[in-house]
Amino acid sequence: MKKLLLHICCGPCSTPVISNLSPEFEVAGFYYNPNIFPETEFVSRLDSAKKVAQFNGIKLIVPDHSAVIPAEAGIYINKSRGLDSRFCGNDEKERGNNKRGWKNSNDYESYLRFIGGTKQKPERCFLCYRQRLEKTAGFAKKNGFDAFSTTLLISPFQFHEELKKIGEEIAKEYGIDFHYQDFRALYKESREISKELGLYLQKYCGCRFSRRRK
């Protein structure tokens, strides 16, 4: 069976996608979302992604910038950056303005560097897709996966055709297959399953700009 690395944007979006892909692929989750703001939001979404991974019996990879550290229950987390609520600071810290050098575990700074001066939709969204899918494709290629995909394909709120185009472009750049599938028909089901599992349901896309509805 072919191995697929599935970029997971959050737990709710992954609920029916994993089960839909599992008959065809050996699926592993990849939680890489430096766009998410603030830190507390990142942790809440990560917790939901962990629950879904455990429920479906797949590995969840949360990439460090230097290593992937094995942890319990087949889940890989970055312990060096402390992905738990003890490291969630106040709003000032979450903006990266604290004087003690505290840094978001999701590396929000890298997202801001990647989008540069592009702050408006849809251009910043296209850059956000590219950053996350490039990281996914690179990890997949380096670690013996046959293909990569993303749970963003389930959302009716994303720029679906551009997301597909970017995934296919990155596949050519990295020499690995991008598994495209239109999962939008499963969106309603994903919300129902999420409520049954008691998952955290976010109220905005992820970045601070979408939080302010810009």
Side-chain angles (χ1 to χ4, degrees):
M1 184 177 287
K2 290 185 176 180
K3 296 172 61 179
L4 181 141
L5 187 64
L6 179 65
H7 166 257
I8 292 178
C9 59
C10 63
C13 285
S14 64
T15 48
V17 172
I18 293 171
S19 58
N20 191 275
L21 291 170
S22 292
E24 184 178 354
F25 296 100
E26 179 184 338
V27 179
F30 192 73
Y31 186 83
Y32 175 68
N33 301 290
N35 60 305
I36 296 176
F37 180 91
E39 173 76 358
T40 48
E41 184 74 16
F42 177 82
V43 173
S44 293
R45 297 189 193 196
L46 174 58
D47 287 343
S48 285
K50 288 180 181 180
K51 290 178 182 177
V52 174
Q54 289 176 328
F55 181 78
N56 287 277
I58 70 166
K59 292 179 180 178
L60 180 66
I61 299 163
V62 182
D64 188 0
H65 304 291
S66 60
V68 176
I69 302 173
E72 66 281 356
I75 294 175
Y76 293 80
I77 62 174
N78 172 7
K79 287 186 175 179
S80 65
R81 291 187 182 271
L83 296 179
D84 63 51
S85 58
R86 292 177 299 134
F87 290 83
C88 299
N90 57 33
D91 286 342
E92 183 178 352
K93 288 183 178 182
E94 287 162 347
R95 293 187 181 96
N97 295 327
N98 65 311
K99 297 180 180 179
R100 292 182 294 175
W102 183 93
K103 186 176 181 180
N104 287 359
S105 60
N106 61 323
D107 198 17
Y108 189 73
E109 293 87 349
S110 75
Y111 162 73
L112 293 178
R113 289 194 300 269
F114 198 91
I115 66 170
T118 307
K119 300 295 192 296
Q120 299 299 318
K121 294 174 66 173
E123 288 77 14
R124 77 159 190 270
C125 303
F126 301 161
L127 290 170
C128 185
Y129 299 158
R130 182 167 293 278
Q131 183 185 24
R132 290 187 280 175
L133 292 186
E134 282 185 353
K135 183 80 168 183
T136 307
F139 188 95
K141 180 69 175 180
K142 184 177 180 181
N143 290 276
F145 288 86
D146 301 291
F148 72 100
S149 191
T150 176
T151 58
L152 290 166
L153 291 168
I154 198 176
S155 174
F157 305 108
Q158 302 298 335
F159 299 96
H160 191 91
E161 293 305 317
E162 190 67 23
L163 177 59
K164 176 178 181 286
K165 178 183 175 182
I166 290 171
E168 291 172 345
E169 288 175 354
I170 291 171
K172 291 180 180 179
E173 293 169 11
Y174 283 82
I176 186 170
D177 289 341
F178 174 63
H179 179 79
Y180 168 74
Q181 194 167 337
D182 188 348
F183 295 112
R184 285 177 290 184
L186 299 174
Y187 182 76
K188 183 179 179 181
E189 180 184 345
S190 75
R191 306 295 285 185
E192 293 171 351
I193 295 174
S194 297
K195 291 176 181 178
E196 291 174 4
L197 295 178
L199 301 181
Y200 170 72
L201 295 170
Q202 60 268 18
K203 302 297 190 296
Y204 60 101
C205 187
C207 70
R208 69 184 183 191
F209 308 107
S210 65
R211 192 184 189 195
R212 296 169 183 170
R213 300 293 190 270
K214 290 184 180 180

